[in-house]
Amino acid sequence: MKIKKNSLKKVTILLLIIVIILISFVGVYEKQLNKMVNTLPEYKFGMDFSDIREVRLNVREDTVTKYYDENGNEVDMPDDESESTNITSKEVPVNSEEKLTAENFAKTKKILEDRLDALYIEEYQIRQDENGYIVVELPENDDTDFYVETLMFMGKFEIKDSETNEVLLDNSNISDAFATTYSSDGKNMAAYLIINFDQEGKQKFEDITKTYIATTDEEGNETKKVVTVSIDDQTIASTYFGKTMSNGQLQLKLGSETTSSDTLLTYYRETLMIANSIRYGQLPIEYTVENQEVLLSTVRQDVVQVLWIIGAVLIVILVAYLIIRFNKGLLIGISWIGFIGMFLLLIRYSNSVITINSIVGMVVICIYQYVFLNAVLSNKQNRSFKEILAKYSIYAIPLYIIAVIFTFASKLAVNSFGMALFWGSAIMAVYNLLITKNLIDEK
Amino acid sequence: MKDMNKLKVIVVAAVLIVAAIITVAVNPFKFNVNYSKNVRLEVYIEKDFEINDILSIVNSIYTNDDVIVRKAGALEKTASITLRDFTEEQNEKLISQLNEKYELKLTSEDIEIYYNSNVKGRDLIKPYIVATAIAGVLILAFFGVRYRKIGLAKSVGGTIAVVCLTQLLYTFLINIFGMYINEATIVVGITIGILCLMYLVATFEKLKAKE
């Protein structure tokens, strides 16, 4: 009776493993629009295996016309000729010679990296040559245009007197900037740009909020002293203040209030772009986009097929070794293939991104599982399954530590490796206790 | 006998360190074409094409040992060829072979040339530094606590020495065999470190059990 029960258990587990293998390697198909479609989540690939956008940024070499009054102060372009009698114009290079230093090139690269990091872009590459020429490689997806726009902001922030154009506050006093959404009435939402000033900026801002206010004279006439807030010389707001603000924080509503989540998202992204552009300082050098090109994945189907075949052959050889060497080799071999299938399913469902690093991590886990299964079968010291599992779990403690720490890294190269090790270790423990142990009939 | 073994280990380690330093100094690391200073040629083929066909043409013309060929552009009718360098003559040959194969009338002026600077080695390593340092400290703490009876010098000092030496050996092998630094180099180094640490745990567990 007991033998029958055991056989039934083994057959059930074997069937379960075969189902896992079939689902993982073949897929689950469903008819959709007269086509059979695999309903399993697709694998996600990193830049190593997918399309990229190459953006070429060149240092601007052109000139701009600047206007100066009789005192030599820079002024806005005159609207008509009558205004221009005392105004002289001059062609000046956008980037002066003094600006084009190695230090400024490096600073530009660092600011661009900070901006991309702030958008949580896990994978990108920036190259910069000795002349400052920059090539940025970004993952190609729906957000790539947004990333490119973020790179193109100069990040020049100014609060100016609307009449005299005197700069009252600029980038040098910003300590932080971010975007947020807020609803004043619980229904309509709006995107806000929040700018925090440093100690000196806090005082300056407080003075601005005291000076730039609306006043009413004895006859009831209202006079407004207005400031303009500009980013890259584009005015984003003209305002005066109703009360003194001593918290050193400027809150600007960008866009209108909306109940539509899509509209709000658009406003929020634009606000985020502005916040990111001023948060890390103004670019010391002006760049222009020379060229943008989508470069398709370097992965070729024929190469992928060859790799699958090599993988399959290796698995067959390793399973054949188990079958030849051990009595229960076939069972354990099937269990190992089932483990690989289960691991690949977990990679699909956990949204892990496949990179070269994660493939290395997956191979390490699969080999470690194989080594463990070998130890279970050879078991010279007659130890129980759980003892061997505990022993191998202790051996793998450095791997667990690296898996957990790397998983929390911000860059895909690191966290994809961590993820592969983490999910691999987790599935190894669960799979061995629930499947392998019962398959080889161990207590 | 024990002293003799120790001496052998020290000698091997010293030789390895010196050899690694000399080879790296004499023969700097070579980066693959993607990471090194390279040039990207772009040719609009006007027709659907197979990467393999372009690759075989490129391989027959350019003497580079490391080439990346991919499709570019929304229409996927542009071939992008990344290589270390080229000559005008080679480009003319490329155009003539493309014209022949795809019945085109391209001239060498139809090749768009983009120069790329190299990716800095420190940019490749940077993402790993914090995570590896934190994991390293935690792993050493684990060794220090779990194998404290074996002695800190042996458990922690020995672990640091063994991991550093294996990494040096890895560096030495990359250099001596002229292997390119590529997308997998760092992660393979980390994997070697992990395997080394796992082996050390197994060894210390045996020592601990004996004691």
Side-chain angles (χ1 to χ4, degrees), chain A residues 157-160 167-170 173-175 193-213 227-229 237 239-252:
Chain A
F157 168 83
E158 283 174 336
I159 297 182
K160 289 195 279 193
V167 177
L168 307 166
L169 254 176
D170 63 13
N173 292 118
I174 292 176
S175 64
L193 172 67
I194 312 289
I195 301 172
N196 290 322
F197 299 108
D198 61 12
Q199 210 53 42
E200 191 192 336
K202 202 173 171 180
Q203 188 54 53
K204 282 185 186 175
F205 184 57
E206 191 177 331
D207 294 343
I208 292 169
T209 59
K210 281 178 186 167
T211 314
Y212 292 85
I213 51 173
V227 289
T228 57
V229 181
T239 189
Y240 60 92
F241 298 89
K243 60 176 181 181
T244 303
M245 298 175 88
S246 51
N247 63 352
Q249 188 178 72
L250 171 64
Q251 299 180 4
L252 282 174

Side-chain angles (χ1 to χ4, degrees), chain A residues 162-380:
Chain A
S162 65
E163 285 173 16
T164 64
N165 268 348
E166 182 198 350
V167 177
L168 307 166
L169 254 176
D170 63 13
N171 293 75
S172 59
N173 292 118
I174 292 176
S175 64
D176 193 15
F178 58 94
T180 189
T181 55
Y182 177 72
S183 171
S184 53
D185 57 7
K187 275 184 191 171
N188 295 298
M189 297 284 284
Y192 283 83
L193 172 67
I194 312 289
I195 301 172
N196 290 322
F197 299 108
D198 61 12
Q199 210 53 42
E200 191 192 336
K202 202 173 171 180
Q203 188 54 53
K204 282 185 186 175
F205 184 57
E206 191 177 331
D207 294 343
I208 292 169
T209 59
K210 281 178 186 167
T211 314
Y212 292 85
I213 51 173
T215 50
T216 314
D217 61 17
E218 288 164 357
E219 288 162 15
N221 299 320
E222 197 182 54
T223 317
K224 288 174 189 163
K225 267 189 84 106
V226 176
V227 289
T228 57
V229 181
S230 66
I231 306 285
D232 290 357
D233 295 324
Q234 300 288 318
T235 301
I236 58 165
S238 287
T239 189
Y240 60 92
F241 298 89
K243 60 176 181 181
T244 303
M245 298 175 88
S246 51
N247 63 352
Q249 188 178 72
L250 171 64
Q251 299 180 4
L252 282 174
K253 185 170 79 179
L254 299 185
S256 50
E257 292 194 341
T258 178
T259 49
S260 154
S261 54
D262 286 346
T263 314
L264 181 68
L265 184 65
T266 309
Y267 289 146
Y268 176 74
R269 284 165 70 101
E270 282 167 9
T271 310
L272 181 67
M273 204 149 62
I274 292 171
N276 269 343
S277 70
I278 58 175
R279 189 175 175 187
Y280 301 102
Q282 185 182 342
L283 291 180
I285 297 166
E286 277 197 50
Y287 277 80
T288 180
V289 176
E290 181 193 84
N291 177 263
Q292 283 192 62
E293 186 75 274
V294 177
L295 301 176
L296 274 66
S297 164
T298 49
V299 177
R300 303 204 314 270
Q301 279 311 309
D302 55 336
V303 176
V304 173
Q305 274 173 4
V306 170
L307 289 176
W308 272 114
I309 291 167
I310 292 172
V313 169
L314 280 175
I315 289 172
V316 168
I317 292 170
L318 289 169
V319 171
Y321 170 78
L322 289 177
I323 295 169
I324 294 163
R325 194 163 165 218
F326 304 107
N327 279 341
K328 291 179 179 172
L330 179 63
L331 281 181
I332 286 295
I334 294 171
S335 161
W336 185 55
I337 299 172
F339 171 80
I340 297 171
M342 193 75 193
F343 191 12
L344 291 176
L345 276 179
L346 194 64
I347 293 289
R348 281 181 193 259
Y349 279 98
S350 63
N351 275 333
S352 299
V353 182
I354 296 184
T355 61
I356 289 175
N357 289 10
S358 72
I359 291 175
V360 173
M362 285 153 73
V363 170
V364 168
I365 290 292
C366 291
I367 291 175
Y368 194 56
Q369 169 73 358
Y370 184 83
V371 171
F372 165 74
L373 294 175
N374 249 294
V376 169
L377 288 176
S378 52
N379 197 6
K380 285 171 193 159

Side-chain angles (χ1 to χ4, degrees), chain A residues 54 56 109 125 127-128 135 291 293-296 298 300 302 356-357 360 364 368 395 402 405 414 417, chain B residues 34 40 42 51-52 70-73 76 114-117 119 123 127-128 131 183 187 191 194 198 202:
Chain A
E54 187 188 79
R56 297 179 167 271
K109 185 179 173 221
Q125 192 77 260
R127 301 160 190 259
Q128 188 180 44
V135 181
N291 177 263
E293 186 75 274
V294 177
L295 301 176
L296 274 66
T298 49
R300 303 204 314 270
D302 55 336
I356 289 175
N357 289 10
V360 173
V364 168
Y368 194 56
Y395 292 172
I402 287 176
I405 302 295
V414 186
F417 181 63
Chain B
N34 189 31
R40 198 165 68 75
E42 244 186 46
I51 298 275
N52 279 345
R70 64 208 303 183
K71 292 184 180 184
E76 300 184 21
Y114 298 106
Y115 293 91
N116 291 323
S117 59
V119 175
D123 286 345
Y128 296 90
E183 290 78 357
V187 77
T191 304
I194 293 174
M198 287 166 77

Side-chain angles (χ1 to χ4, degrees), chain A residues 10-22:
Chain A
K10 277 186 190 176
V11 170
T12 312
I13 292 169
L14 268 176
L15 282 174
L16 179 69
I17 293 172
I18 290 165
V19 169
I20 291 170
I21 293 170
L22 285 174

Side-chain angles (χ1 to χ4, degrees), chain B residues 11-182:
Chain B
V11 170
V12 169
V15 168
L16 193 61
I17 291 167
V18 173
I21 291 169
I22 292 172
T23 50
V24 174
V26 172
N27 187 25
F29 287 116
K30 284 196 280 184
F31 287 79
N32 72 353
V33 69
N34 189 31
Y35 288 155
S36 59
K37 200 172 174 178
N38 64 44
V39 60
R40 198 165 68 75
L41 309 177
E42 244 186 46
V43 190
Y44 182 54
I45 306 279
E46 301 172 21
K47 293 174 183 175
D48 290 334
F49 64 90
E50 290 297 323
I51 298 275
N52 279 345
D53 295 334
I54 305 290
L55 194 60
S56 60
I57 292 174
V58 169
N59 283 336
S60 71
I61 298 169
Y62 299 92
T63 49
N64 299 268
D65 52 348
D66 197 8
V67 178
I68 300 170
V69 177
R70 64 208 303 183
K71 292 184 180 184
L75 299 172
E76 300 184 21
K77 287 179 181 172
T78 302
S80 160
I81 303 157
T82 308
L83 18 85
R84 289 180 196 276
D85 50 32
F86 68 96
T87 62
E88 289 300 323
E89 199 186 326
Q90 285 171 326
N91 280 4
E92 274 162 26
K93 271 190 195 169
L94 173 71
I95 288 297
S96 110
Q97 291 204 24
L98 288 175
N99 284 341
E100 196 181 322
K101 179 149 185 82
Y102 296 102
E103 295 167 350
L104 303 168
K105 286 175 182 169
L106 300 174
T107 66
S108 50
E109 270 137 41
D110 291 315
I111 301 181
E112 284 189 55
I113 302 168
Y114 298 106
Y115 293 91
N116 291 323
S117 59
N118 60 310
V119 175
K120 303 257 182 325
R122 61 173 175 271
D123 286 345
L124 295 179
I125 296 169
K126 205 165 65 181
Y128 296 90
I129 294 173
V130 175
T132 310
I134 296 171
V137 169
L138 290 175
I139 289 167
L140 288 178
F142 162 74
F143 274 88
V145 172
R146 188 164 174 91
Y147 308 115
R148 60 190 178 280
K149 285 183 183 165
I150 296 168
L152 274 183
K154 216 174 188 179
S155 61
V156 177
T159 303
I160 294 171
V162 170
V163 172
C164 287
L165 282 176
T166 47
Q167 293 301 316
L168 261 177
L169 180 65
Y170 176 57
T171 312
F172 177 65
L173 290 176
I174 287 175
N175 209 278
I176 208 87
F177 288 110
M179 287 189 273
Y180 289 128
I181 304 288
N182 59 31

